[in-house]
Amino acid sequence: MKKFLFLVVAVFLTMSFVSVARAELKIGVVDVYRVLNESEEGKKAVGQLQNMLEERQKILEEKQKKIQTLKDELEKKRSVLSEDARKAKEDEIDRLGRELQRTAADYQMELQKKQNEITQSMFKEIKQLINEYAQKEGYSLIIEKVEQIIIFTTPEVDITDKIISLYNQKTSQQKGKK
């Protein structure tokens, strides 16, 4: 009987500690990727990158048209051009093709660099905002939602929409001060 009573008391104490620990532990989950893409600042950044991409694409298309024009011209006049003139045209087409490839690679690197700069800057602000929010709301742990790591969360612990809203408020206030 004493063993049974001891077991009941032990189970009761264990349950008490678990409920106390659970009450003190507040966990949240944030999908930072969504914050980056769905916030007003994120949408603005995507628009800037899209405009930059479109401008670069137009330049590349113009260079491609010039190369195609030279190729067409060479094909039409191939039979009447001298060997040296034909070779010079082919060399020019090759040079312009290499230049086009270098320019495209440079543009791609430039866009990637700009995207990284924007993302890093935004991520720094978002991380600071999450830390402030966590402290204010008494969170013990905030986890970044990554599909390969977090398989399931309940909507109650997902604070992504709150962070997007706070980030939008913060960035609009900063714009108002400028």
Side-chain angles (χ1 to χ4, degrees), residues 29-30 34-35 38 158-167:
V29 177
V30 175
R34 266 191 57 216
V35 176
E38 293 179 16
D158 190 336
I159 61 171
T160 304
D161 290 332
K162 292 176 188 172
I163 299 300
I164 290 171
S165 177
L166 289 171
Y167 186 59

Side-chain angles (χ1 to χ4, degrees), residues 129-144:
L129 183 68
I130 291 169
N131 286 333
E132 291 169 3
Y133 179 78
Q135 290 174 2
K136 178 182 169 193
E137 297 295 323
Y139 280 87
S140 303
L141 179 66
I142 303 276
I143 301 170
E144 182 178 355

Side-chain angles (χ1 to χ4, degrees), residues 27 29 44 68 83 103 117 128 163 176:
I27 298 174
V29 177
K44 185 177 111 180
Q68 189 60 47
E83 185 67 26
T103 303
E117 288 172 3
Q128 180 182 355
I163 299 300

